[in-house]
Amino acid sequence: AQDCQVSNIPVKEDFDKYRLQGTWYAVAKKDPSGLFLLDNVAATYKVDIDGRMTASAYGRVIILNNWETCAIMFASFEETPDPAKFKLKYWGAATYLQSGYDDHWVIDTDYDNYAVHYACRELDTDGTCLDGYSFIFSRHPNGLRPEDQIIVTQKKQEICLLGKYRRVAHNGFCDA
Ligand code: DAO
């Protein structure tokens, strides 16, 4: 059991940003309020020569409630004393896309198959998360291996979001 205090959420120990590099496909997502990225979501992480982690991402979005497009997004990650906890600055390739500054925590990854990312945007008065989002990423667009699903389910529980995810489809909408 756990108390669901955001400050007590365990993150990946000795996180290695270099091994996270490359492309990840979102296979499940817990949405924040005012969700943005709908499906066909993928992110490619890089560490630049200065050691700074950056990412580019894409995903299907609906702008102004009726216009569907593929958003191209950019992100830079500011480091904090915990190597698995970042501040994520993100913006769109086009001005009408979302931008923001979120906490961005790597909860768990084996670097080769699965990754669980978590962001709490707003804390409740009791220290639990009032508004946040989470991505389950896979190295493969078709999903996670059964052995990874077991670990990911455990992690969803540890971040108090078990049952709050939806599947993220990949149907080629954002393919070049
Ligand atoms: O989809 O509602 C939402 C929240 C997602 C925030 C946008 C993040 C864009 C950059 C992501 C890079 C790594 C995930």
Side-chain angles (χ1 to χ4, degrees), residues 87-98:
K87 294 298 287 195
L88 162 69
K89 186 168 186 272
Y90 71 91
W91 63 96
T95 52
Y96 49 76
L97 298 170
Q98 249 187 36

Side-chain angles (χ1 to χ4, degrees), residues 29 32 35-37 43 45 57 73 75 90 104 121 133 135 137:
K29 183 173 179 245
L35 86 155
F36 178 55
L37 296 170
Y45 291 80
M73 305 297 294
Y90 71 91
H104 192 88
R121 282 180 167 164
Y133 61 93
F135 285 103
F137 284 118

Side-chain angles (χ1 to χ4, degrees), residues 29-38 41-45 54-58 61 73-77 88-91 98-100 102 104 117 119 121 132-135 137 166:
K29 183 173 179 245
K30 189 274 175 191
D31 292 312
S33 62
L35 86 155
F36 178 55
L37 296 170
L38 298 172
V41 179
T44 301
Y45 291 80
T54 64
S56 59
Y58 60 78
V61 297
M73 305 297 294
F74 302 106
S76 71
F77 296 84
L88 162 69
K89 186 168 186 272
Y90 71 91
W91 63 96
Q98 249 187 36
S99 59
D102 291 335
H104 192 88
H117 293 217
R121 282 180 167 164
Y133 61 93
S134 172
F135 285 103
F137 284 118
R166 61 181 176 82

Side-chain angles (χ1 to χ4, degrees), residues 15-22 45-53 79 111 139:
F15 173 66
D16 183 345
K17 64 192 173 189
Y18 292 93
R19 294 183 63 198
L20 194 75
Q21 292 185 99
Y45 291 80
K46 288 190 178 106
V47 180
D48 69 22
I49 47 165
D50 307 320
R52 194 175 55 123
M53 189 163 78
E79 293 185 9
Y111 304 102
R139 286 292 192 186

